[in-house]
Amino acid sequence: MTKAKVLWVDDEIDLLRIQILYLEEKGHTVFTVNNGYDAVELVKENNYDIIFLDENMPGISGLDVLSEIKRLKSNIPVVMVTKNEEEDIMDDAVGSKIDDYLIKPVNPKQIILAIKKMLKTDN
């Protein structure tokens, strides 16, 4: 079974503790940051198997972070996590090469399914 190295970017990362603990219990390694600037720096310095990215953050938006991540390392799957179901935002995300998206609140099983789908694993 392949275990993923996950980067989770969300300005409300503390509210996602249950999901993160669940991923770690399943053997995945999870790194967290609460803003897009730190996420871009981490992507420059490290390799990740998958990134979960909040769409709405102060400072730099998730869509801007997505564009920068894809410019740096286009092969990393990025799953946008959003409270917003507006079609134009998801169209922008898809146009920016998003790999998938989830609508908040997300449950741990949705996250595991996204990892399986993106990395084509059985865990």
Side-chain angles (χ1 to χ4, degrees), residues 26-54:
K26 295 291 185 183
H28 302 289
T29 305
V30 183
F31 299 86
T32 62
V33 293
N34 61 7
N35 67 75
Y37 300 110
D38 289 347
V40 170
E41 289 306 310
L42 284 176
V43 169
K44 285 179 185 176
E45 299 167 5
N46 302 282
N47 292 314
Y48 298 97
D49 297 312
I50 189 168
I51 298 171
F52 290 96
L53 177 62
D54 186 14

Side-chain angles (χ1 to χ4, degrees), residues 39-85:
V40 170
E41 289 306 310
L42 284 176
V43 169
K44 285 179 185 176
E45 299 167 5
N46 302 282
N47 292 314
Y48 298 97
D49 297 312
I50 189 168
I51 298 171
F52 290 96
L53 177 62
D54 186 14
E55 177 262 325
N56 187 17
M57 294 182 291
I60 182 172
S61 76
L63 291 175
D64 290 337
V65 175
L66 173 65
S67 295
E68 187 62 15
I69 288 170
K70 289 300 184 175
R71 186 185 69 74
L72 292 167
K73 297 184 180 176
S74 61
N75 61 323
I76 300 175
V78 178
V79 177
M80 184 76 68
V81 183
T82 181
K83 293 178 188 172
N84 201 333
E85 296 185 53

